[in-house]
Amino acid sequence: MKKYSPQQLALRNGQDREEIWIAYKGIIYDATDSKLWRNGTHYEHWSGQDLTDELIDAPHTEMVFERLNVIGELIQ
């Protein structure tokens, strides 16, 4: 699996580049085609970052990531 740094993930925020990527538990997902992530935002959440700690406040479970394609691994 290809590895990406937090800085590389941050560029895929729907603003700097067209790609909209989000990370969860060390895995990076492509949300570019998701209607829920238009312009790189989903409610008060921003793409291009690790959302692991933010899922606690979400009204859904981590199963939502199963709908997205895996891009790679987030390295620290």
Side-chain angles (χ1 to χ4, degrees):
M1 188 175 319
K2 191 162 181 180
K3 298 178 187 312
Y4 295 90
S5 69
Q7 294 81 10
Q8 290 171 304
L9 173 62
L11 291 174
R12 276 64 176 206
N13 60 15
Q15 308 293 314
D16 296 313
R17 296 187 184 179
E18 290 184 18
E19 297 101 347
I20 297 173
W21 292 1
I22 53 178
Y24 179 71
K25 291 188 175 180
I27 303 297
I28 298 173
Y29 298 90
D30 187 351
T32 304
D33 294 330
S34 173
K35 294 175 186 174
L36 300 174
W37 281 95
R38 293 286 181 223
N39 300 318
T41 61
H42 176 63
Y43 295 97
E44 71 275 2
H45 305 288
W46 294 88
S47 60
Q49 62 181 327
D50 186 346
L51 301 175
T52 303
D53 292 338
E54 297 183 33
L55 190 70
I56 296 166
D57 297 327
H60 53 72
T61 67
E62 62 187 38
M63 292 182 70
V64 297
F65 296 104
E66 293 176 3
R67 301 178 192 155
L68 304 175
N69 291 324
V70 173
I71 295 294
E73 181 181 351
L74 180 62
I75 55 170
Q76 298 297 326

